[in-house]
């Protein structure tokens, strides 16, 4: 049996006709950059996420970058973010000349904690970037309280968490701005790079719209130096088709996750395999990844591979120990919870179409390994 992490080919086969029709329409229109598919997608994604404005940009990375830039993050400013996230969350801070300040995570949710943020607030702190890692919202109540108390900006990194809810409200409704990624393997994935900024602040939305076209508004009149970060019309057309299926795919991921949870219990593996847990009631997890913590992770991963089961490690090295951040002076042991997680986490196959038999095969194979 083969169990892929994510079966993009299978997904494409199911919606192929609709996708090709949408792409052909764009080709026939000769409107390849921006245009009605982009504005249409912006409105549809904003509606889906229950926010007022969506601004399509070239990637999730750029969604973060333009948000921070529009919030006046610049040279010398400190921005607090988790050390356990995809590199882009920190890279954008550095690119603006600001300083990433790395914080440790909660051992259960893998998200940045309010306590860890509070410890690192200084006179120079300008913003916080909570990441809703693996599809589970960070503790936004307390994070927003801290932000208000210290007059800090908040950019939610929801690149892995489109549609997830925190205390009954969707991610994207807490911070000043929120970044979404449509990288192909994300829950809502394009067929190339694409991203979007969400915000409820009209002025900020206008500024980000201008920043994505070289800081011009109207065209050829530049108020500031911006970027070229537009969303392609073909990607927007593809995403408009795929958005209609997002709820169904999210439910598929949640069903697969429930099957894993149940089977790990039935196999009595709970002391060997730490499954993902929720910490906040009235919140949802959209399972961009289903990540377990295990002993002998690397050997288990090898064994699973031999059995046709794909898995992945997100992330093997915390950001504070990356070579490019050596100058910041962090040492091994500074952020121990994240460092430990890097050696133990393993993302199991979470394709929305996985059958119960496939999930059982994965759990059974893990069981064999620990027997
Ligand atoms: C994917 C991702 C990004 C970057 O998105 P791109 O579209 O690849 O630029 C940023 N942050 C997190 C947490 C991500 O998972």
């Amino acid at each position: 049996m083969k169990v892929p992490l994510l079966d993009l080919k299978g997904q494409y086969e199911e919606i192929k006709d609709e996708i090709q029709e949408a792409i052909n329409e764009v080709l026939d229109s000769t409107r390849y950059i921006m245009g009605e598919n982009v504005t249409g997608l912006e409105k549809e994604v904003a509606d889906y996420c229950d926010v007022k404005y969506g601004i399509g940009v070239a990637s999730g990375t750029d969604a973060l970058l333009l948000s921070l830039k529009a919030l006046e993050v610049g040279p010398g400013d400190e921005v607090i973010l988790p050390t356990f996230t995809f590199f882009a969350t920190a890279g954008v801070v550095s690119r603006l000349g600001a300083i990433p300040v790395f914080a440790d995570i909660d051992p259960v949710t893998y998200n940045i904690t309010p306590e860890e943020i509070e410890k690192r607030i200084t006179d120079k702190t300008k913003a916080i970037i909570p990441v809703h890692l693996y599809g589970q919202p960070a503790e936004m109540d307390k994070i927003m309280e801290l932000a208000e108390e210290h007059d800090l900006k908040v950019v939610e990194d929801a690149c892995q968490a489109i549609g997830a809810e925190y205390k009954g409200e969707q991610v994207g409704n807490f911070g000043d701005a929120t970044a979404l990624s449509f990288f192909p393997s994300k829950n809502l994935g394009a067929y190339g790079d694409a991203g979007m900024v969400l915000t409820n602040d009209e002025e900020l939305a206008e500024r980000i719209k201008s920043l994505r076209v070289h800081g011009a508004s109207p065209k050829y009149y530049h108020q500031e130096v911006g970027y070229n970060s537009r969303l392609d019309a073909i990607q927007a057309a593809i995403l408009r088709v795929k958005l209609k299926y997002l709820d169904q795919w999210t439910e598929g991921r949640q069903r697969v996750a429930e099957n894993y949870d149940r089977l790990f219990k039935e196999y009595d593996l709970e002391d060997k395999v730490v499954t993902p847990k929720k910490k906040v009631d009235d919140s949802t997890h959209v399972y961009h990844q289903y990540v377990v913590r295990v002993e002998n992770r690397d050997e288990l991963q090898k064994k699973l591979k031999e059995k046709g089961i794909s898995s992945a490690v997100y992330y093997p090295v915390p950001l504070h120990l990356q070579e490019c951040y050596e100058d910041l002076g962090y040492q091994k042991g500074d952020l121990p919870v994240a460092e430990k997680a890097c050696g133990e986490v393993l993302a199991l196959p979470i394709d929305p179409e996985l059958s119960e038999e496939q999930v059982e095969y994965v759990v059974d194979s893990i069981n064999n390994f620990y027997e």
Side-chain angles (χ1 to χ4, degrees):
M1 196 184 300
K2 279 253 183 299
V3 192
L5 258 181
L6 184 63
D7 180 14
L8 285 179
K9 183 154 175 58
Q11 191 198 66
Y12 173 59
E13 289 297 333
E14 269 178 44
I15 55 174
K16 195 172 181 170
D17 293 343
E18 256 183 291
I19 293 281
Q20 291 190 345
E21 194 180 318
I23 292 175
N24 283 333
E25 268 174 33
V26 178
L27 293 180
D28 287 339
S29 78
T30 69
R31 186 85 204 251
Y32 304 134
I33 296 278
M34 307 298 285
E36 66 177 40
N37 273 304
V38 173
T39 47
L41 178 73
E42 288 173 338
K43 184 168 185 318
E44 287 154 16
V45 171
D47 286 350
Y48 182 88
C49 296
D50 254 340
V51 301
K52 284 196 187 138
Y53 309 101
I55 306 105
V57 294
S59 67
T61 304
D62 276 9
L64 290 166
L65 182 71
L66 271 62
S67 296
L68 293 171
K69 175 81 180 168
L71 291 165
E72 310 278 353
V73 171
D77 291 333
E78 293 179 355
V79 178
I80 301 173
L81 59 115
T83 189
F84 194 65
T85 173
F86 179 59
F87 182 77
T89 320
V92 292
V93 173
S94 307
R95 282 168 63 193
L96 290 168
I99 303 154
V101 173
F102 297 112
D104 214 342
I105 54 164
D106 181 279
V108 174
T109 64
Y110 306 102
N111 278 324
I112 194 168
T113 66
E115 296 73 28
E116 282 290 312
I117 293 170
E118 189 164 21
K119 272 197 249 172
R120 289 172 176 78
I121 295 174
T122 71
D123 291 349
K124 290 187 182 158
T125 309
K126 176 88 183 188
I128 308 168
I129 314 180
V131 179
H132 307 306
L133 200 71
Y134 304 144
Q136 171 157 238
E139 269 182 74
M140 291 314 296
D141 271 4
K142 287 188 196 150
I143 293 173
M144 293 315 296
E145 260 170 46
L146 282 175
E148 254 157 60
E149 194 182 321
H150 298 272
D151 196 19
L152 306 175
K153 305 295 185 189
V154 174
V155 175
E156 293 176 61
D157 183 340
C159 287
Q160 303 185 0
I162 186 168
E165 285 179 9
Y166 175 79
K167 298 194 176 173
E169 207 172 342
Q170 287 219 35
V171 298
N173 281 289
F174 301 92
D176 297 279
T178 296
L180 295 179
S181 166
F182 304 128
F183 184 79
S185 63
K186 296 289 158 78
N187 287 26
L188 177 62
Y191 295 161
D193 276 307
M196 192 173 287
V197 178
L198 304 176
T199 182
N200 286 311
D201 179 334
E202 184 178 5
E203 222 172 288
L204 199 64
E206 288 306 316
R207 181 137 185 224
I208 291 165
K209 273 188 193 170
S210 156
L211 279 171
R212 76 175 162 183
V213 287
H214 299 287
S217 166
K219 210 173 182 180
Y220 307 122
Y221 292 82
H222 299 262
Q223 285 78 40
E224 62 180 321
V225 177
Y227 305 85
N228 171 4
S229 186
R230 296 166 301 218
L231 176 58
D232 286 0
I234 288 180
Q235 300 303 341
I238 291 165
L239 288 163
R240 290 181 86 183
V241 172
K242 293 186 75 175
L243 181 60
K244 293 185 284 178
Y245 295 90
L246 182 57
D247 278 339
Q248 176 190 321
W249 290 330
T250 300
E251 281 158 25
R253 287 170 186 273
Q254 289 166 333
R255 179 179 43 77
V256 171
E258 274 167 30
N259 283 335
Y260 276 125
D261 287 346
R262 178 175 51 75
L263 287 162
F264 280 124
K265 244 184 229 146
E266 281 176 22
Y267 274 76
D268 220 359
L269 273 168
E270 283 183 305
D271 55 332
K272 295 277 192 326
V273 179
V274 182
T275 55
K277 302 268 175 347
K278 268 200 284 188
K279 257 197 155 174
V280 181
D281 290 339
D282 206 10
S283 298
T284 60
H285 194 322
V286 295
Y287 293 101
H288 172 58
Q289 300 296 346
Y290 184 92
V291 174
V292 296
R293 285 176 97 112
V294 290
E295 281 166 37
N296 297 333
R297 190 257 325 267
D298 296 345
E299 268 171 64
L300 172 64
Q301 190 175 24
K302 236 186 270 163
K303 212 13 146 261
L304 293 178
K305 195 175 173 203
E306 284 166 22
K307 296 198 158 195
I309 300 165
S310 306
S311 64
V313 176
Y314 309 113
Y315 299 91
V317 182
L319 298 184
H320 69 284
L321 298 179
Q322 294 286 348
E323 199 177 325
C324 65
Y325 285 134
E326 248 169 40
D327 289 355
L328 295 176
Y330 290 87
Q331 305 293 324
K332 223 178 182 154
D334 283 350
L335 302 171
V337 183
E339 289 170 31
K340 188 161 187 284
C342 287
E344 297 178 349
V345 290
L346 189 64
L348 301 178
I350 188 66
D351 186 87
E353 305 289 322
L354 285 189
S355 67
E356 215 167 317
E357 291 71 42
Q358 284 173 304
V359 175
E360 176 139 23
Y361 177 64
V362 175
V363 174
D364 194 59
S365 304
I366 294 174
N367 188 48
N368 286 344
F369 177 78
Y370 286 112
E371 254 170 4

